[in-house]
C-alpha cells in the first residue's frame, strides 16, 4: 500500500503545479479576446441636402486612424471595431455629421451645407489661404466673365482677363493649342 501511495503523490503534485498554469493561460485568453473580435463592416451612401451623392467625402471612425472616402456615386464601406463606434462624415462645403453604429450595418447620412463663406478662401498653387491673409496680388476671373467671352477653350477664356497673364496662340488657327505665361518666363 505504501508503493501505491508513493505513485499517487507525484500525480497529485503534477496536477497542483499545472493548475496555476492553466488559470494563468485562461485569464490571458480572456484578456486578449477583445483584440481578436471581428470588426463590423458598415456601408452606405453619403448624400447632400438635395439628395445628390457626395463624391470624395471623408468617412472616418472617431478616435482611430481608420477611414475612407466616398466614390463617384457617394458610396463607402468601412470597418468599425464595435457597435459603440462613432463614424464621422465630412466634406468640403458641408457640416460634419456623426453617427453611432449600434446594430446598423447600413448608414446613409445626409450632409447639410456649411454656412462658411467660401468667397473668403483663396486657392493658391500650394494650398489655401484666407483673402485677408494674402499679401501678394491676386486676380480673379469669374464664371460670368468666362461665359461672356464664349471662348473655345480655357486659354481663350483667360486671354486679356488678368494682369500679368499672357496667352499666345501658337499657330494662329482658331481652337489651336496656346501657350500661357504668368508674369514672365
Amino acid at each position: 500500500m505504501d508503493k501505491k501511495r508513493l505513485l499517487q503523490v507525484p500525480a497529485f503534485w503534477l496536477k497542483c503545479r499545472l493548475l496555476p498554469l492553466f488559470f494563468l493561460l485562461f485569464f490571458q485568453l480572456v484578456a486578449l479576446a477583445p483584440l481578436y473580435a471581428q470588426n463590423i463592416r458598415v456601408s452606405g451612401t453619403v448624400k447632400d441636402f438635395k439628395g445628390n451623392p457626395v463624391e470624395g467625402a471623408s468617412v472616418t471612425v472617431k478616435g482611430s486612424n481608420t477611414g475612407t472616402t466616398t466614390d463617384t456615386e457617394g458610396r463607402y464601406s468601412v470597418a468599425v471595431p464595435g457597435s459603440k463606434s462613432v463614424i464621422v462624415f465630412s466634406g468640403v462645403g458641408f457640416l460634419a455629421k456623426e453617427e453611432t453604429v449600434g446594430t446598423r450595418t447600413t448608414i446613409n447620412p445626409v450632409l447639410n451645407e456649411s454656412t462658411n463663406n467660401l468667397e473668403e478662401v483663396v486657392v493658391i498653387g500650394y494650398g489655401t489661404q484666407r483673402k485677408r491673409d494674402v499679401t501678394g496680388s491676386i486676380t480673379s476671373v469669374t464664371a460670368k466673365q468666362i461665359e461672356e467671352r464664349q471662348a473655345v477653350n480655357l486659354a481663350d477664356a483667360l486671354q486679356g482677363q488678368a494682369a500679368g497673364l499672357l496667352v499666345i496662340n501658337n499657330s494662329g488657327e482658331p481652337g489651336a493649342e496656346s501657350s500661357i505665361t504668368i508674369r514672365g518666363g
Side-chain angles (χ1 to χ4, degrees), residues 141 145-147 149 151-161:
V141 179
Q145 289 174 306
I146 292 173
E147 287 175 5
R149 302 273 325 232
V152 177
N153 57 29
L154 178 64
D156 288 342
L158 294 176
Q159 189 171 16
Q161 296 293 317

Side-chain angles (χ1 to χ4, degrees), residues 10 17 19 32-33 65 82 98 107 113 119 122 135 138 153 185:
R17 287 183 190 162
L19 193 60
L32 294 175
N65 294 332
E98 295 183 1
I107 299 176
E113 190 176 68
E119 301 228 353
V122 177
T135 57
I138 294 176
N153 57 29

Side-chain angles (χ1 to χ4, degrees), residues 6-7 40 57 60 65 69 71 77 82 84 97 107 109-110 122-123 127-128 138 144 150 152 178:
L6 286 174
L7 292 175
I40 300 169
T60 57
N65 294 332
T69 58
D71 64 8
S77 180
K84 293 184 180 179
K97 185 170 190 174
I107 299 176
V110 176
V122 177
V123 178
T128 59
I138 294 176
K144 184 178 179 183
Q150 297 180 355
V152 177
S178 300

Side-chain angles (χ1 to χ4, degrees), residues 96-115:
K97 185 170 190 174
E98 295 183 1
E99 292 275 349
T100 304
V101 174
T103 59
R104 301 181 290 177
T105 57
T106 302
I107 299 176
N108 297 318
V110 176
L111 299 182
N112 292 319
E113 190 176 68
S114 176
T115 58

